[in-house]
Amino acid sequence: MITDININKPEPIVSGKQLELFDGATDPRLAIEILEAGKSVLIAAFYNNGSLLLKELHRHLKRKLPNKSFQEQREYRSEYRKLSNLILIEIADHKLTVKKSPSIGWLEKLYPETGDFLLSFPKVQGLNSSWQWYQNGISIPVLRNKVHPYYGTYFPTRFDHLKLFDNWLKRYKGPKKSAIDVGIGSGVLSFQMIKYGFQKVFGTDTNPNAIVGLTEYMADTKLSRKIALDLGHLFGKWEKQTELIVFNPPWLPELHHLDRNDEAIYYNKNLFPDFFAGAKKRLLPEGKLVIVFSNLAQITNLTKDHPIEKELAEGGRFQLEKCFKKTVKAASEKTKRDQHWRSSEEVELWVLINK
């Protein structure tokens, strides 16, 4: 049952210590020294003071750390994440206590029995953005209706790979009785398959928030009868063979131990071998295996290995029917990161069939 699933959410912080306050009169340099000593700082007076301190922290780290190459950017973000999460803000009766704070419905929805606690300021910013997306919905070019992603659930912010999949589905002439969507996230690929006439999609995800969010979103609509969900790794409990398996895996290899928020972005060394072994058992003889991927790891020099090419060369299970590629649009001019590699990035749609 959905009520048995434990949702991922920021862990409430209870501090018995007297915390250093940061308000409009506090010297940001002093606050940053406290953070670098591994101690917490509490935002006081106005919500915007949290944003001011984060801005000063960025300035401080830019002076201290290089931030050009892809790897340097990852290290910069790691240090920023560590220090910024020591900046705390207070919640009382499911509301932020400082003045001019946003109203965030997640504080009651995710913490029904915990009214008073502290959270890190970046986590609260994330909850606030997520609440806006959840309430207002997000338009996806390949779908008629908006998606309303639940807190902590992956949803696409770029659409080149979805357009590639949409074009492939348009031309797909095979049977449409069933499909498996491995790592369903906010449901976009499944909704595309339903749009093109698939009768039943079996979706899995290791993220409980994805399963809870989609169950709530579909409720008792027709979608809930066409999409079945399971909280589980890769194929979960779905054992039955199917004519189509779809996988939009993480595009980058992990370089360190992952926390659960990174699992939608980075893959470990076992993910692809385990996936291909499971797919072989579940794909019907004439079925198709579709993987949405990118050359991002290769062009940023994180690895020379391409996990799909490796499977085709060494796995002995599948052969390539077709690989479609699409050049990615240039990075937004608003982005602060140096993304010079984006000009050579391509999204890929691999169609594999049984050997």
Side-chain angles (χ1 to χ4, degrees):
M1 283 293 293
I2 191 166
T3 50
D4 299 332
I5 296 178
N6 290 320
I7 290 171
N8 291 332
K9 61 191 177 188
E11 198 61 41
I13 299 164
V14 180
S15 176
K17 301 174 191 170
Q18 184 73 29
L19 297 172
E20 295 287 343
L21 301 182
F22 181 83
D23 58 24
T26 313
D27 184 343
R29 287 171 299 182
L30 178 63
I32 289 167
E33 277 179 28
I34 293 166
L35 297 174
E36 291 191 316
K39 295 176 183 171
S40 296
V41 171
L42 183 66
I43 297 303
F46 291 95
Y47 181 80
N48 192 44
N49 287 330
S51 303
L52 289 174
L53 183 51
L54 288 181
K55 195 173 177 183
E56 290 300 326
L57 180 59
H58 267 305
R59 276 197 190 129
H60 171 74
L61 290 177
K62 276 176 186 163
R63 287 192 296 266
K64 187 175 164 186
L65 296 172
N67 189 21
K68 284 289 179 192
S69 75
F70 191 80
Q71 183 57 31
E72 284 170 352
Q73 288 181 12
R74 285 177 87 171
E75 287 162 7
Y76 177 96
R77 292 198 300 275
S78 174
E79 183 68 7
Y80 175 76
R81 183 190 293 184
K82 183 180 85 177
L83 295 177
S84 64
N85 277 308
L86 291 170
I87 302 169
L88 306 182
I89 194 164
E90 187 179 3
I91 292 116
D93 193 24
H94 301 111
K95 293 181 178 64
L96 297 167
T97 59
V98 290
K99 293 172 188 167
K100 298 198 174 175
S101 293
S103 175
I104 305 172
W106 291 129
L107 294 174
E108 189 161 2
K109 198 171 173 69
L110 299 180
Y111 306 95
E113 293 164 13
T114 316
D116 303 351
F117 54 99
L118 303 171
L119 284 176
S120 82
F121 189 76
K123 293 279 196 269
V124 167
Q125 286 184 309
L127 285 163
N128 183 37
S129 298
S130 169
W131 186 249
Q132 305 308 317
W133 296 323
Y134 175 74
Q135 287 286 89
N136 301 327
I138 294 166
S139 296
I140 307 284
V142 294
L143 297 178
R144 285 186 289 273
N145 298 321
K146 289 181 175 182
V147 296
H148 294 260
Y150 202 81
Y151 173 75
T153 301
Y154 166 80
F155 63 90
T157 54
R158 294 158 54 194
F159 310 113
D160 299 286
H161 60 300
L162 300 178
K163 291 173 183 173
L164 211 52
F165 184 51
D166 211 69
N167 286 335
W168 182 81
L169 280 172
K170 236 178 247 177
R171 295 168 177 77
Y172 172 75
K173 302 293 184 202
K176 296 181 178 179
K177 281 179 71 179
S178 71
I180 297 176
D181 183 355
V182 176
I184 194 167
S186 51
V188 176
L189 299 183
S190 288
F191 298 153
Q192 286 179 268
M193 287 187 273
I194 297 297
K195 178 177 91 170
Y196 284 105
F198 275 82
Q199 294 170 37
K200 190 82 176 182
V201 177
F202 299 94
T204 67
D205 211 291
T206 56
N207 180 359
N209 297 35
I211 302 301
V212 169
L214 278 172
T215 302
E216 183 187 276
Y217 172 72
M218 295 190 298
D220 56 358
T221 63
K222 282 182 188 173
L223 274 177
S224 68
R225 295 187 284 282
K226 294 188 172 187
I227 299 175
L229 301 169
D230 183 48
L231 176 63
H233 180 57
L234 291 176
F235 295 90
K237 68 182 181 184
W238 312 125
E239 297 285 348
K240 201 171 171 189
Q241 288 193 317
T242 184
E243 48 257 40
L244 178 63
I245 295 172
V246 176
F247 190 29
N248 179 14
W251 292 351
L252 299 172
E254 71 173 10
L255 297 183
H256 53 80
H257 178 69
L258 301 183
D259 69 31
R260 64 189 177 209
N261 297 322
D262 287 332
E263 287 178 0
I265 305 170
Y266 303 107
Y267 62 85
N268 66 40
K269 64 181 180 1
N270 297 321
L271 180 71
F272 281 95
D274 290 351
F275 167 74
F276 286 118
K280 185 66 179 174
K281 292 178 191 167
R282 292 165 178 83
L283 192 65
L284 284 164
E286 303 301 314
K288 296 189 191 295
L289 178 58
V290 172
I291 306 165
V292 181
F293 207 59
S294 160
N295 66 348
L296 185 59
Q298 285 75 41
I299 62 173
T300 53
N301 298 316
L302 288 180
T303 181
K304 289 188 169 62
D305 290 336
H306 190 300
I308 304 167
E309 289 174 355
K310 189 170 188 224
E311 167 64 22
L312 289 169
E314 302 170 11
R317 291 175 277 230
F318 300 102
Q319 58 186 325
L320 180 65
E321 181 181 86
K322 189 88 178 170
C323 179
F324 302 89
K325 297 185 180 182
K326 180 174 168 55
T327 304
V328 170
K329 281 185 183 171
S332 163
E333 289 177 10
K334 294 178 186 173
T335 189
K336 302 236 171 69
R337 293 185 205 163
D338 181 0
Q339 298 198 340
H340 54 274
W341 56 79
R342 189 59 84 71
S343 61
S344 53
E345 186 186 351
E346 292 178 327
V347 287
E348 307 165 346
L349 187 133
W350 296 76
V351 185
L352 277 51
I353 55 176
N354 283 305
K355 270 197 165 180

